[in-house]
Amino acid sequence: MKIILSKDEMLERFRLAGGLEHLRSDCAVEVTDGVNLDGMLAEQLRRRYAELLSSGRPELLVSEDVAGALSEVNALREGLGEVVMSDACARVLEIRLDGWTRPATVEPPEALGTLMMSLDNVYTRCAPEYPRAVLGHDGRRIYVHPLMTSKVVSARGVLDPGPERFVVQEAALSELFDQIKIELP
């Protein structure tokens, strides 16, 4: 189930899950040594959330149409194109260009070499029925083949809602919280 939390709500959930929140209403807990625990936790939550958006399992992410957050396709060479993600787009899961019969799942950067080698061979070259999309090594460019037109018809991916909001599947919270370690100075 999709949930949208503010930074304060996410911190509250983490404190409850980690046993950092007192459950008694007849007492107060006060820190006097100057450690800003909420600031430390907020920084770690944001860092881990950004990692989850860029490399987490797709079923833990809230995907949506991100075609508006992509540039037009730039032609590079014989049938190879390049799409650039805007800063608001954290990750593209699949993309479909005009002329393709189906969308292509975006492959990791390790597959870029095989895509480039397949371009020069008529037997291994991609076709509109079997297109390929590979994320570039910089994490912001997607290389697509075959290039029929410069129009992105559809793209499904994940947008970064900014530092004050968290949009995730509820199942992702445990994975998000498990990776955070509290290290006090």
Side-chain angles (χ1 to χ4, degrees):
M1 180 170 74
K2 171 183 170 180
I3 57 172
I4 301 171
L5 300 171
S6 69
K7 182 170 72 170
D8 293 335
E9 291 169 333
M10 183 64 99
L11 282 170
E12 183 179 329
R13 281 194 180 213
F14 177 76
R15 285 193 304 264
L16 280 172
L20 299 173
E21 190 72 34
H22 59 86
L23 299 176
R24 296 186 56 162
S25 61
D26 62 338
C27 68
V29 177
E30 186 176 321
V31 178
T32 59
D33 61 358
V35 175
N36 182 2
L37 188 59
D38 280 351
M40 291 171 52
L41 290 175
E43 180 184 334
Q44 288 188 35
L45 275 169
R46 177 64 190 158
R47 190 176 327 119
R48 179 64 188 126
Y49 178 65
E51 288 174 16
L52 181 71
L53 292 181
S54 64
S55 60
R57 295 191 330 260
E59 61 270 11
L60 296 178
L61 306 173
V62 177
S63 63
E64 55 190 293
D65 182 24
V66 296
L70 302 176
S71 71
E72 283 194 358
V73 183
N74 303 319
L76 298 178
R77 61 173 271 212
E78 307 171 14
L80 181 67
E82 171 189 67
V83 179
V84 181
M85 293 188 287
S86 70
D87 291 337
C89 186
R91 182 174 173 188
V92 176
L93 301 171
E94 68 179 28
I95 187 169
R96 182 175 180 196
L97 300 183
D98 192 25
W100 290 3
T101 58
R102 66 178 188 88
T105 302
V106 178
E107 300 173 48
E110 294 80 28
L112 191 56
T114 59
L115 174 66
M116 295 301 184
M117 287 189 295
S118 72
L119 296 177
D120 296 326
N121 188 330
V122 296
Y123 299 108
T124 60
R125 192 176 300 157
C126 301
E129 297 80 20
Y130 301 102
R132 285 187 72 188
V134 179
L135 185 65
H137 291 290
D138 65 351
R140 306 302 312 159
R141 300 180 193 308
I142 301 169
Y143 296 97
V144 293
H145 188 264
L147 180 59
M148 313 296 274
T149 65
S150 64
K151 184 179 178 195
V152 176
V153 174
S154 67
R156 192 174 57 84
V158 183
L159 296 175
D160 187 351
E164 297 295 320
R165 288 184 57 204
F166 296 83
V167 180
V168 294
Q169 296 290 344
E170 195 164 10
L173 289 178
S174 63
E175 187 167 313
L176 185 68
F177 294 162
D178 287 346
Q179 300 297 323
I180 295 175
K181 305 290 185 237
I182 301 171
E183 297 178 15
L184 296 176

